[in-house]
Amino acid sequence: MQNQEKDQKHNTATEQNEKVPFYKSSQFWKSTGIFWALVILVIIMAISQPAFLTKPNLINILKQASITGILAIGLTLVLLTGGIDLSVGSVLAVACMAAAFLTSDVQGFPVIVGFIAGIGVGAIFGLVNGFGIAYIGFAPFIMTMATLSAARGIALVSTNNRPIFNLSRTFIDVSNSIYFGLPSLVYYFLIVAVLAYILTKKTVFGKWIYAVGGNQIAAKYSGINVEKVKLIIYMIMGSLSGLTGVLMASRITSGNPTVGEGYELDAIAACVIGGVSMSGGAGSVIGTVIGVLILGVISNGFDILGISSNYQRIMKGLVILLAVFIDIRSRSRKNS
Amino acid sequence: MSKKYIWLNLVLVLISLLMVSGCAAQEPAASADAPAASAVEEAASDEPVSMKIAIMTMSLGQPYFVSLSQGYKDVAAEYPGVDVEVIEIDPNGDAAQQVTAIETLGEMGADALIITAIDPEVVNPSIEAAMANGLIVVSHYNELSAQTLQSGISTYGMGFVAGQEAASWINEKLGGSAKVALLIWDKTEFDIDRTEGMTDALRMYAPGSEIVAEQAADAIETGLTAAETILQAHPDVKVFVCYNDEGCLGALGAVEAAGLASDDFGIFGVNASSEALAKIKEGTVYRGTASIDPYHHGRLEMEMAIRLVLGDFLPSKMEIVPVPVSVDNVDQFIE
């Protein structure tokens, strides 16, 4: 009897699916809702200030969002495993100082050395975070909060709180060149996004990431080396923090030990807005990219409208709350 | 004449004026009499006098305060016949951390404190309590409810000098009218005063100029982002006046990247940081800054603090006047 009822329900659902085109289904709106939120936001900004929708300004938004974007993509991987990394802004600062120091007039190393040093420094911090979390058993929040403090201290102590100027012209061009009408920073962001998308959606390792975040115990029983996955993810995150540090040094034409303060919050916000679950196992790189663009549009739009940055904070807070509320609602519906 | 001597002369003149105008020398607190007397007796003997002096700026994340702090440390290391142990505390922009640090100075055995209060209202009670226990307090910039000596800088005056420089450049190069963008910082009273100084000077000396944009920026990266966006919204902006040199350096990057660096574009800041001075000297669109020479100011304040611990009588207030820096006089300020 129960089976018959189930079959009836299934048939009805199938009939409904046949009747309703996909673009009208709730599934379509759920999966593309964040994109439409971005579109609506862009329309509102364009109506409010015509200068917003000009080609140079749209390129500007992409450029300004790229640094946060690369961090957010790394954090997407971390959040998918059920972890968190609060140290990204501070690690960025150490990498920024390392790259600036090596490529300054005084040292005069080639650009590639700056890149290797910055990414290498980031990877080392990632290794420390990953080892502490995966093998020693520290909570991600505590471990990365400790690294946040230590890394910032290292950045400040390394040059006695002083910025490093006079970087080589070739190094400055790394972030400030334009190819086919787009700033080089945007290409770095796109490359990282594409690689992360392939990693999460097209590889076995990507499946492991979701499995670890979805249910760590089940993942372990199914033969996944959970510790190794976590270690690799935190190393990827560290390397991306290092990369953003190098790009930031090039963009601001200096190594500044205070750079990147609060960037972890913007990056986490972008992930959450993009639909990445803070409890792990759910979310996508594409969602995060849209989340990054939403934050970029808010910042740029408010600046163009001449609205104080204090109001931007309020707006960001409200958007994050809304995104988390939607996440909670959708999960409670799934469970019921 | 070197930068160092310009400043020392300026300060000595101001101190003399204050003393002549009947600025009463402040007696050390009763409880501080004994240590001061013994310090003088010790100084008479050949052994160096030992003392501990705590230094606390707003935040060592800002180059201005790094230079100020370096001035403190250099004098402490060099002062003849006195062994000064410097206790450096970085509150990282948090007034509550300043209060906590002041409350623990007694246990640290500090004889004096040189402080840039983030919020005077917040630190006043703990400063009063510390002074009642014999601590000598030198206040950098702020007037506190209790202090042994106030080394005053008008932060409004700093902003005013930057605004005045911009205004005279607008009058000279742009015929008195220009679209102006401000890169401000509005997190504390200190910051707001400086912004008011900038805007008042512009309105007073270049009434034909129009402030079309105002965004928060106190670092190179925030200055860069804010300026990029402002230049999109207001392509006719010809002048940036900034809260500090770091914001200006960011704006300079944005202006150069946008290909707008020309004879009719001007950027004006505050603090005379080494990189800002270099850019002014190079002849970029970075036209001017306001110097309060934090390094030599720091040297002077530490010297005052040491002398107060040794029992010397000093005026209760000295004033440092900001000086405009442009391509014409920049060489005097470059070390």
Side-chain angles (χ1 to χ4, degrees):
Chain A
M1 185 71 183
Q2 272 184 326
N3 285 351
Q4 277 181 323
E5 275 178 30
K6 271 185 187 171
D7 286 346
Q8 267 183 314
K9 275 183 186 173
H10 177 72
N11 290 341
T12 316
T14 313
E15 280 168 30
Q16 279 177 339
N17 283 352
E18 282 166 9
K19 284 174 194 168
V20 180
F22 179 62
Y23 66 87
K24 286 185 182 175
S25 70
S26 62
Q27 181 57 38
F28 171 78
W29 290 105
K30 237 181 226 177
S31 59
T32 60
I34 184 84
F35 171 74
W36 295 112
L38 174 62
V39 169
I40 290 162
L41 196 57
V42 167
I43 291 166
I44 291 166
M45 292 297 183
I47 292 165
S48 307
Q49 168 59 277
F52 177 84
L53 214 51
T54 59
K55 187 187 168 189
N57 193 57
L58 294 176
I59 290 170
N60 223 6
I61 292 168
L62 286 172
K63 180 170 67 174
Q64 290 170 2
S66 294
I67 297 275
T68 311
I70 295 169
L71 290 178
I73 286 163
L75 268 162
T76 300
L77 304 178
V78 171
L79 291 171
L80 286 174
T81 64
I84 196 160
D85 191 345
L86 301 175
S87 68
V88 295
S90 298
V91 172
L92 181 159
V94 181
C96 177
M97 297 306 281
F101 174 73
L102 291 169
T103 59
S104 65
D105 286 354
V106 180
Q107 301 300 323
F109 283 100
V111 170
I112 190 70
V113 175
F115 260 92
I116 292 166
I119 294 169
V121 162
I124 290 164
F125 277 105
L127 179 68
V128 170
N129 279 337
F131 187 81
I133 291 160
Y135 292 97
I136 299 175
F138 288 122
F141 187 91
I142 301 299
M143 182 69 212
T144 60
M145 189 164 62
T147 316
L148 173 150
S149 182
R152 182 64 63 188
I154 291 166
L156 291 163
V157 166
S158 62
T159 58
N160 193 21
N161 295 58
R162 292 179 186 276
I164 298 167
F165 292 103
N166 303 319
L167 311 191
S168 72
R169 185 70 249 173
T170 46
F171 181 72
I172 289 167
D173 288 341
V174 163
S175 284
N176 297 297
S177 303
I178 291 174
Y179 303 103
F180 309 109
L182 283 177
S184 49
L185 267 178
V186 177
Y187 290 104
Y188 287 106
F189 176 36
L190 289 174
I191 290 164
V192 169
V194 168
L195 290 174
Y197 177 80
I198 292 165
L199 179 73
T200 52
K201 297 293 181 190
K202 308 288 180 186
T203 67
V204 175
F205 187 76
K207 289 188 175 73
W208 292 351
I209 293 169
Y210 280 95
V212 168
N215 188 330
Q216 201 168 300
I217 296 160
K220 204 161 200 162
Y221 280 124
S222 64
I224 296 169
N225 187 337
V226 172
E227 288 78 17
K228 195 175 178 182
V229 169
K230 284 185 178 180
L231 182 69
I232 291 167
I233 288 300
Y234 280 97
M235 279 188 74
I236 291 170
M237 178 72 259
S239 302
L240 291 176
S241 298
L243 172 64
T244 53
V246 175
L247 297 176
M248 181 59 90
S250 170
R251 173 160 158 75
I252 65 173
T253 68
S254 61
N256 199 315
T258 60
V259 83
E261 283 184 348
Y263 279 33
E264 58 280 349
L265 301 179
D266 276 351
I268 292 166
C271 295
V272 170
I273 291 164
V276 179
S277 173
M278 292 291 282
S279 53
S284 71
V285 170
I286 292 171
T288 295
V289 169
I290 295 170
V292 166
L293 294 176
I294 285 174
L295 281 184
V297 165
I298 290 170
S299 289
N300 177 278
F302 275 42
D303 278 354
I304 270 197
L305 292 167
I307 298 167
S308 163
S309 59
N310 298 328
Y311 290 104
Q312 287 181 35
R313 289 179 176 201
I314 296 168
M315 182 68 171
K316 277 181 192 174
L318 292 172
V319 170
I320 292 162
L321 281 176
L322 181 65
V324 173
F325 175 72
I326 291 164
D327 178 46
I328 292 165
R329 283 290 297 272
S330 64
R331 267 191 290 147
S332 64
R333 274 181 192 164
K334 273 180 198 169
N335 294 341
S336 60
Chain B
M1 193 185 282
S2 81
K3 175 182 173 186
K4 182 175 178 179
Y5 293 110
I6 289 172
W7 279 105
L8 288 175
N9 289 338
L10 186 65
V11 168
L12 287 169
V13 167
L14 286 163
I15 288 171
S16 308
L17 284 169
L18 286 164
M19 290 177 94
V20 168
S21 64
C23 178
Q26 187 166 318
E27 293 284 343
S31 56
D33 276 351
S38 62
V40 174
E41 282 163 26
E42 272 186 66
S45 70
D46 290 337
E47 282 182 38
V49 180
S50 291
M51 61 177 73
K52 287 184 182 179
I53 297 180
I55 58 174
M56 199 183 335
T57 63
M58 283 187 177
S59 166
L60 288 173
Q62 293 185 29
Y64 169 83
F65 289 118
V66 175
S67 295
L68 185 73
S69 179
Q70 195 59 51
Y72 295 151
K73 289 178 201 165
D74 287 356
V75 166
E78 297 161 10
Y79 203 90
V82 182
D83 180 17
V84 183
E85 184 189 330
V86 175
I87 304 165
E88 185 169 38
I89 300 156
D90 182 10
N92 203 18
D94 184 352
Q97 279 193 43
Q98 284 195 324
V99 171
T100 308
I102 293 161
E103 287 168 350
T104 57
L105 287 177
E107 285 86 81
M108 291 179 186
D111 298 294
L113 165 68
I114 310 175
I115 181 172
T116 313
I118 293 161
D119 187 337
E121 296 301 319
V122 173
V123 299
N124 276 337
S126 49
I127 289 283
E128 285 170 21
M131 283 188 73
N133 290 326
L135 187 77
I136 285 164
V137 176
V138 174
S139 173
H140 174 80
Y141 164 66
N142 292 295
E143 184 167 1
L144 305 176
S145 59
Q147 66 216 352
T148 317
L149 185 145
Q150 184 201 350
S151 171
I153 310 167
S154 166
T155 187
Y156 175 90
M158 286 153 69
F160 197 89
V161 167
Q164 205 171 6
E165 277 191 283
S168 58
W169 186 84
I170 289 165
N171 292 331
E172 189 186 325
K173 301 283 183 186
L174 305 175
S177 68
K179 297 272 198 289
V180 180
L182 301 183
L183 296 186
I184 64 157
W185 199 243
D186 55 1
K187 303 294 178 265
T188 68
E189 199 179 335
F190 180 97
D191 310 322
I192 293 162
D193 282 354
R194 191 182 291 188
T195 304
E196 281 178 5
M198 280 153 46
T199 52
D200 286 355
L202 280 164
R203 289 191 182 114
M204 203 180 292
Y205 294 102
S209 64
E210 183 193 352
I211 296 167
V212 294
E214 199 174 285
Q215 278 304 324
D218 75 328
I220 298 176
E221 75 270 23
T222 50
L224 179 62
T225 305
E228 281 172 342
T229 309
I230 287 167
L231 291 170
Q232 289 300 329
H234 306 280
D236 49 356
V237 161
K238 287 291 177 192
V239 176
F240 277 96
V241 186
C242 315
Y243 164 81
N244 63 9
D245 286 332
E246 285 65 53
C248 277
L249 290 167
L252 177 65
V255 169
E256 288 179 341
L260 297 172
S262 57
D263 290 343
D264 64 347
F265 208 106
I267 298 173
F268 300 85
V270 175
N271 286 352
S273 70
S274 56
E275 186 63 10
L277 296 173
K279 293 294 180 191
I280 292 167
K281 188 175 170 63
E282 280 171 31
T284 66
V285 294
Y286 205 133
R287 308 287 177 191
T289 185
S291 173
I292 34 172
D293 193 1
Y295 176 74
H296 288 105
H297 196 171
R299 288 187 66 92
L300 195 77
E301 284 176 1
M302 178 55 84
E303 191 177 324
M304 299 290 187
I306 293 168
R307 286 174 62 188
L308 285 164
V309 174
L310 290 172
D312 287 4
F313 293 106
L314 295 172
S316 60
K317 188 168 184 175
M318 65 177 192
E319 188 82 27
I320 302 283
V321 180
V323 177
V325 182
S326 67
V327 73
D328 301 327
N329 66 343
V330 70
D331 287 329
Q332 295 173 24
F333 296 86
I334 293 172
E335 292 289 351

